Amino acid sequence: FLIATNAVGNSNDPAAPGSFVDFEVVETPVAADPPPAPVLAPLPVPSGGQITVNGTANAGGQLTLTNATQGLAVTFAVAADGAFSRAIDADPGDSIHVTVLDLAVSSTPSAAATAVVPAPPAVTALRIEPASLAFAARGAFADLVVTADFDDGSSRVVTNAAALSSGNPAVASENGAGRVVAQGSGATQITASLGGFAAAAQVAVDIVTLTGLTVTPTPLVLDAVGASADLVVRGSYSDG
């Protein structure tokens, strides 16, 4: 097999039958100015330990994307329309550097475009709605919604991200996704926590139960064979 490598470090892959390398013969510019620095789109918050870096640079140039903090680098060709997009491992606070080398313009790479990987916005307040729930039957349920405010001015529902807990699961339980289910009479609260903030919804459960039965009339007197009378059975319940 044959491995071919061009002047900017690209090689074919001998394990891939369709792999190839483009070569273009250009005259080395003499004392030419380097290409302009790449233009970076705002960096996203890392997801799964990576970010995708997007931007524009000299079409067909060789772009080097570096995470200077972690010592990682990847080199690839800029698309024909000048756009580029590439993922790289990164954490909040890492410094990202991007340069482009275009031998059709200069043998000197561009100045670096730099950016710092942003951290996720911090929670500034947490609220839970509705603020109170009341149930009158075991198994009755309702859904809570937890909303967070962030230091970038945004707000969003974070019910699934927040940690939810019941002060007394024997009164009301929660499933971790905002659903509260009545279990027994009493009062408790469901607390949501996220980013060092907490909010609580009050829960009251008053399950109506049968507390007694009365039968009237009593005593029942029947004065002949075949005589009959109606009985009235009345139930007493915990709600009065």
Side-chain angles (χ1 to χ4, degrees):
F1 56 83
L2 175 68
I3 298 177
T5 303
N6 64 15
V8 290
N10 287 333
S11 299
N12 65 306
D13 182 359
S19 177
F20 66 92
V21 175
D22 284 330
F23 288 84
E24 181 178 352
V25 178
V26 298
E27 295 183 6
T28 301
V30 179
D33 291 333
V39 177
L40 294 178
L43 298 182
V45 172
S47 176
Q50 284 194 329
I51 61 170
T52 297
V53 180
N54 299 299
T56 57
N58 271 36
Q62 194 76 11
L63 190 132
T64 300
L65 168 62
T66 304
N67 182 329
T69 304
Q70 297 190 24
L72 305 173
V74 59
T75 300
F76 56 95
V78 180
D81 63 358
F84 65 85
S85 179
R86 187 60 59 98
I88 190 170
D89 290 350
D91 295 319
D94 285 357
S95 180
I96 301 299
H97 297 185
V98 182
T99 60
V100 64
L101 173 64
D102 187 349
L103 292 178
V105 174
S106 172
S107 58
T108 303
S110 72
T114 63
V116 175
V117 179
V123 177
T124 58
L126 200 66
R127 56 186 182 276
I128 190 167
E129 295 174 309
S132 63
L133 296 171
F135 300 107
R138 181 178 287 107
F141 64 87
D143 293 325
L144 295 172
V145 176
V146 183
T147 303
D149 297 331
F150 295 90
D151 61 0
D152 62 357
S154 66
S155 298
R156 66 175 181 268
V157 173
V158 293
T159 308
N160 291 331
L164 296 170
S165 62
S166 172
N168 188 347
V171 173
S173 62
E174 55 77 28
N175 69 349
R179 175 151 294 184
V180 179
V181 182
Q183 302 294 343
S185 293
T188 188
Q189 64 180 17
I190 305 297
T191 301
S193 302
L194 181 69
F197 290 81
Q202 304 302 315
V203 181
V205 181
D206 186 7
I207 297 175
V208 178
T209 58
L210 181 66
T211 59
L213 290 174
T214 60
V215 179
T216 58
T218 183
L220 175 64
V221 178
L222 299 176
D223 56 6
V225 175
S228 64
D230 292 330
L231 292 175
V232 176
V233 180
R234 186 179 301 276
S236 299
Y237 291 87
S238 59
D239 64 351

